[in-house]
Amino acid sequence: MSSPDPRNGRGRGVISRRGLIGSAGVGVAAAGAGVLAGRMSSPAGAGTVSPTVPFRGQHQAGIVTPAQDRLHFATFDVQTTSRAELIELLKTWTVMAERMTAGHEATPDGAIGGEQYAPPTDTGEALDLHASKLTLTIGFGPSLFTRADGTDRFGLAARKPAALVDLPKFTGDALEPARCGGDIAVQACADDPQVAVHAIRNLARAGFGVVSVRWSQLGFGRTSSTSTSQVTPRNLLGFKDGTRNIKAEDRDLVDKFVWVDRGDDQGWMAGGSYLVTRRIRMLIEPWDRTTLHEQERVIGRTKGTGAPMGGREEFDELDLQSAGPSGPLVEADAHVRLASAEELGGIQIMRRGYNFTDGSDGFGHLDAGLFFIAYCRDPITQFVPMQNNLARNDALNEYIKHVGSGVFAVPPGVDAQSYWGSTLFD
Amino acid sequence: MSSPDPRNGRGRGVISRRGLIGSAGVGVAAAGAGVLAGRMSSPAGAGTVSPTVPFRGQHQAGIVTPAQDRLHFATFDVQTTSRAELIELLKTWTVMAERMTAGHEATPDGAIGGEQYAPPTDTGEALDLHASKLTLTIGFGPSLFTRADGTDRFGLAARKPAALVDLPKFTGDALEPARCGGDIAVQACADDPQVAVHAIRNLARAGFGVVSVRWSQLGFGRTSSTSTSQVTPRNLLGFKDGTRNIKAEDRDLVDKFVWVDRGDDQGWMAGGSYLVTRRIRMLIEPWDRTTLHEQERVIGRTKGTGAPMGGREEFDELDLQSAGPSGPLVEADAHVRLASAEELGGIQIMRRGYNFTDGSDGFGHLDAGLFFIAYCRDPITQFVPMQNNLARNDALNEYIKHVGSGVFAVPPGVDAQSYWGSTLFD
Ligand code: HEM
Ligand code: HEM
């Protein structure tokens, strides 16, 4: 169709996100690691405020940012073999990501204000929506550096961190290849799911021909607190999740267990982190047939308040020493014992997972569970021993199944001039 | 495990939803069809109010209720052949549904307050959450009345409404059997997705052995307004959706096109409606490569404001008569023309759909689209001719694919004494 435009006065651009949100807050570098509070920018003409999380800073947002309510996570396979094309896309993505996290369209006037005889450069479904604390966080998988067959597509092999290797096969793993890996991962978190979905979709769109979506996962509700300012949510086993998580306010723990330090490994990762994802199916039916007593024994905490065994309140100290009436108060195979720093020579991780429900499993049950996300300074010395201990011994294993997996090097934050991954490529 | 409980003072029951929400608003019958506003019940001790939608009334909630933000929809196959067992389940479900929509646990003290050596009767993940305007709406598929092979499992064949037949195959249908049909459907809508997911899961749990989940669909954001009090949301094509929908406030249209009347057909359906679901994949890539001009031509409205062709504002009148510079202002194959009452001899439906994104399609694209839900008084004379016209002629067909389908007889609301479907069974 190429008939001329019959629509005069159709008010194009009038309600673009750009118009709606204003330009306050874009491009202002976030100062340092502790940027937790969303900055408020007042949408013009609206009585509400739209919380935004700064995009630029020493670290990427979406890690120690208080976990937003909703998630859309995607991994991409890189199709091009041109390093220049890949860098070009990362630059484009950076500009788009900064815009979208500030509540703007992916591109200026992208949805409706552009050339009418060209495809819009923003897909438009977030036009009337606020930033909703959107964060976008990028990570690079081991396969970006070297492929399984050893190919070094982008001249990155020498810069591959020692910590970035495919996770070992854990006892009981039932991984589906189509839910594993990926050259690049992008985590989109926001309080409005449409904002998170829009962001991933527009990055995918801009990447057309250069990258393709490998898998994606919607998380409908956060399962972790990552800040002391947050209420602990519940996962789909009905238990509070995140009680003994590292919280953003624990700056020492964050520095020790989340951020890669300058001397750790590859210099380009300083200020970065490692992202581990595990898609964990819950076997809802056996769990639902289990007594409350058994459920609490398996986790090692009470279901109601989340208090540890023997405690009264959620944040009472976890007592791994005392004896109960018949054995230890927290049993030997209880989840919280096996995952605890006390049990694991002091190691910890920061969890940032989401509940999912993806239709039916074809056998009359809901396909539901926990999309586990963790950030750590070194997956090999933190996540792997922890998951090994759980995979071998956790009483919870009777009720869960790991079906997806990924590990990604999350580069540091981008400063005013740079782009996602610039420390790796430049 | 049967070791005695070591946890005294673990505060069981302290934070049950029952305790949280109080009992105001339960069991009070909603007066008549126009019950749109959620009643407020103040959670004890909390500074906020928790909006609830009355469960009982002349019509089921979740139809003309202003569309909540999130959806979990499931269909079930009935496994038992016992009519008594089926009725028993419907009675149990009614009690649970009424409780959950009021912000309570599925069963009294179900998650943590029951017998410690018995499985909890509520799965617990909504313990700390409000009712969040939860509505639960039940429907019965054609197969509940007579199976494809003619079997009348429950002695219902004679009560099958003439309007309740499997939808015909429409041009271009690419239906996947695993996403179609079901003996019973339950639509859970709420402003918090965890509340909707919890509700479906607990109904499924209570139905174990009697029914099994056939398919389920999460909708992350509403695509329709069903009330003049709501802002029109956008679907994943980026267009406002629901502008010319029937709104709950249009009482005459609702009576004419949504509610089954006493004289229509089977008496037990009086006050009920018919629910049609279509899982519609969007072929995002061809759409995203299309010009704004073409996109607007295809829909027949502008993308920015949602104004009709030639109009300035969203709610300006749709002009199907006037000529544009080269042909009709709204083209012959534009979606809104083909779906309009003007084109279809006056018929209308009430749309109540949701956006979905379910991972990747395995070919590098997001599996995203519109989970179309419509309510109508007679699918054969309303939905079928409308969809026939669209399936044959709609310019939009180049960008969408219907992959799932269902049609269900939605019985009237339940009064103080009755249960879901009582007019059918009693
Ligand atoms: C579906 C799978 C899982 C469920 C349902 C689950 C659930 C829970 C729950 C309810 C708690 C107690 C509350 C808290 O302190 O956060 C907990 C603690 C914890 N979980 Fe998990 N978890 C799962 C998988 C994992 C995995 C895969 C890991 C890491 C490999 C992990 C690591 C931890 C850690 C480190 C703690 C804190 C232990 C402590 O120090 O007290 N969890 N989990
Ligand atoms: C992915 C598929 C679909 C998309 C993206 C879509 C999108 C839209 C949009 C953007 C509008 C204009 C705004 C409005 O008035 O609501 C609209 C109108 C409408 N659509 Fe759809 N639609 C889809 C499928 C369907 C189907 C399957 C039906 C029914 C069989 C349907 C029935 C209608 C009706 C009745 C209208 C109002 C037309 C009027 O009277 O102006 N749509 N749709």
Side-chain angles (χ1 to χ4, degrees), chain A residues 41-196:
Chain A
S41 74
S42 277
T48 58
V49 289
S50 170
T52 61
V53 180
F55 176 72
R56 296 186 187 264
Q58 187 188 346
H59 308 292
Q60 286 192 68
I63 303 172
V64 298
T65 308
Q68 300 95 321
D69 289 343
R70 325 282 169 222
L71 167 82
H72 193 201
F73 192 99
T75 77
F76 298 88
D77 286 331
V78 181
Q79 296 171 299
T80 182
T81 51
S82 155
R83 180 179 161 116
E85 249 182 43
L86 175 58
I87 292 174
E88 202 46 47
L89 177 63
L90 291 168
K91 289 183 174 168
T92 304
W93 274 6
T94 303
V95 175
M96 292 172 69
E98 178 165 24
R99 291 184 52 83
M100 292 190 287
T101 55
H104 301 248
E105 296 170 83
T107 51
D109 281 332
I112 52 169
E115 171 49 54
Q116 203 204 336
Y117 291 96
T121 49
D122 178 289
T123 55
E125 68 269 25
L127 267 182
D128 319 316
L129 306 177
H130 295 296
S132 308
K133 298 201 196 117
L134 175 68
T135 56
L136 291 163
T137 314
I138 200 167
F140 302 129
S143 55
L144 188 74
F145 297 83
T146 39
R147 276 204 155 143
D149 64 5
T151 327
D152 177 10
R153 288 175 288 172
F154 308 107
L156 294 174
R159 313 207 71 187
K160 185 177 183 177
L164 186 69
V165 289
D166 282 321
L167 297 175
K169 188 179 181 328
F170 298 103
T171 310
D173 270 5
L175 303 182
E176 302 163 18
R179 300 188 188 276
C180 294
D183 294 333
I184 302 180
V186 181
Q187 170 195 283
C189 297
D191 285 343
D192 184 327
Q194 184 126 334
V195 168

Side-chain angles (χ1 to χ4, degrees), chain B residues 313-361:
Chain B
E313 312 271 356
E314 182 188 352
F315 293 103
D316 285 356
E317 207 175 329
L318 177 64
D319 174 0
L320 296 167
Q321 306 302 326
S322 299
S326 64
L329 189 60
V330 175
E331 303 214 23
D333 60 354
H335 179 70
V336 297
R337 173 187 292 281
L338 296 168
S340 69
E342 291 83 345
E343 173 94 359
L344 293 166
I347 58 174
Q348 297 183 51
I349 58 174
M350 180 178 252
R351 288 168 288 145
R352 209 176 190 286
Y354 286 83
N355 295 320
F356 71 82
T357 303
D358 292 338
S360 147
D361 68 356

